[in-house]
Amino acid sequence: MELEAPDFDLSRTLDSGQVFHWEKCGDGFAGAIGPRGVFVEQRGKRLRFSGVTAETITSYFALDHQLAKICRSFPDDPALTAARDFCQGLRIIRQPRWECLATFITSSMKQVAHIRQISRALRTRYGQRHRVKECAAPSFPTPSRVAKLTEPDLRACALGYRAKNLLATARLVASGDADLEQWSTLSEETLRARLCELPGVGAKVANCVMLFAYERLRAFPIDVWIERVLRQKYFPNQQKVTATQLRAFCETYFGEHGGYAQQYLFHHARKGGATPGTAAP
DNA sequence: CTCCAGGGATGAT
DNA sequence: ATCATCCATGGA
């Protein structure tokens, strides 16, 4: 099937560190959306896909987001202007709640490449097998599937100390004590508080899950990359800027689509060529 | 080899 | 409330 997808860059979106399981397959990508195996490839302004309906593709890749309007809502500063130029067509996608939460629990102190490896191990061992265009596209294991595993099972997927947290959170979700779907109706503050009660979830992971799975486009995750960007671009050569000050700045400065601004700054910093640690010329 | 990563939990100031 | 330390693993 095909679909119009103007103002969208598929490979850039899938390589921006918000989702970790899509893999190159021929001229496109193989992956899963929830329980279904999916192939998707971009041809100019059109998206060619199989495995799910056009409605699912539109929702997952957030093709209904008014990207131009979102970008216009950004504050006008050099760092953000450069990031926006670099990130054209990058969208914040709508991920299934559980797999987004689980994946970001495994992300702590890990590089993107390794998070991808963990996601692949969990999907290959414990997910449902799918095959699209001769490529594997396993789904992420359900909460109840993970809940029945043991800590050594998860450590065998290279989770290290994160294994205990993922297991405990899976059991809370599987039992219904943590109802991720029902939480979608909560206010921003309450949702963040609920997420932070889960083992292995702090402010950073909670904000990632809010942004990538609950469509809270204001949520502003601060990781080591973003912290570096903020200090370098928005607080140049000022020492003693506390984490609390940075957080307060982000809440007010970047506005209602702060999460988009954050993602653009993150992707630009990570892929834009500037070496981390070295000052800009 | 060393360095560091889309951090969180815990205990000490 | 803020700061320091430890946690486990492998890519770069």
Side-chain angles (χ1 to χ4, degrees), chain A residues 80-177:
Chain A
L80 207 39
T81 300
R84 180 173 42 196
D85 285 347
F86 186 76
C87 295
Q88 290 180 33
L90 199 172
R91 289 172 184 266
I92 303 279
I93 71 177
R94 292 190 186 92
Q95 299 183 44
R97 271 98 195 206
W98 160 246
E99 61 185 66
C100 181
L101 169 63
T103 302
F104 275 98
I105 285 175
T106 71
S107 77
S108 127
M109 285 274 77
K110 282 291 186 186
Q111 298 181 139
V112 170
H114 197 211
I115 301 166
R116 298 180 61 89
Q117 180 181 319
I118 291 172
S119 173
R120 182 163 53 245
L122 290 172
R123 289 168 183 271
T124 302
R125 288 178 186 232
Y126 303 115
Q128 186 144 7
R129 269 191 261 289
H130 297 293
R131 189 156 282 277
V132 294
K133 300 259 191 218
E134 311 294 311
C135 299
S139 60
F140 196 87
T142 62
S144 55
R145 181 74 179 99
V146 177
K148 287 173 194 147
L149 300 176
T150 65
E151 197 177 315
D153 290 336
L154 294 175
R155 283 182 179 261
C157 297
L159 267 74
Y161 62 87
R162 306 156 192 84
K164 183 180 301 191
N165 292 331
L166 180 59
L167 188 56
T169 293
R171 289 178 174 166
L172 286 171
V173 175
S175 73
D177 289 345

Side-chain angles (χ1 to χ4, degrees), chain A residues 1 8 19 68 73 108 113 126 152-153 162 184 197 213 242 251 255 275 281:
Chain A
M1 299 182 67
F8 178 57
V19 66
S73 78
S108 127
Y126 303 115
D153 290 336
R162 306 156 192 84
S184 65
E197 289 170 2
T242 68
E251 279 176 20
T275 317

Side-chain angles (χ1 to χ4, degrees), chain A residues 70 73-75 211 216-221 250-251 253-265:
Chain A
I70 288 170
S73 78
F74 291 166
L211 180 57
R216 307 301 172 108
L217 300 185
R218 219 187 146 76
F220 198 104
C250 294
E251 279 176 20
Y253 179 75
F254 291 103
E256 60 172 335
H257 302 112
Y260 255 99
Q262 175 276 154
Q263 191 62 17
Y264 283 15
L265 290 170

Side-chain angles (χ1 to χ4, degrees), chain A residues 169-192:
Chain A
T169 293
R171 289 178 174 166
L172 286 171
V173 175
S175 73
D177 289 345
D179 190 340
L180 301 186
E181 301 310 316
Q182 208 252 320
W183 288 1
S184 65
T185 63
L186 298 176
S187 71
E188 184 178 336
E189 302 311 318
T190 311
L191 174 58
R192 184 177 291 109

Side-chain angles (χ1 to χ4, degrees), chain A residues 10 14 19-25 28-41 50-52 57 60-61 99 116 119 123 128-133 135-140:
Chain A
L10 177 64
L14 294 181
V19 66
F20 303 93
H21 69 285
W22 292 90
E23 307 210 16
K24 260 323 237 180
C25 177
F29 296 87
I33 299 181
R36 327 269 307 204
V38 175
F39 173 82
V40 57
E41 110 182 66
S50 64
V52 288
I57 293 288
Y60 185 79
F61 290 110
E99 61 185 66
R116 298 180 61 89
S119 173
R123 289 168 183 271
Q128 186 144 7
R129 269 191 261 289
H130 297 293
R131 189 156 282 277
V132 294
K133 300 259 191 218
C135 299
S139 60
F140 196 87

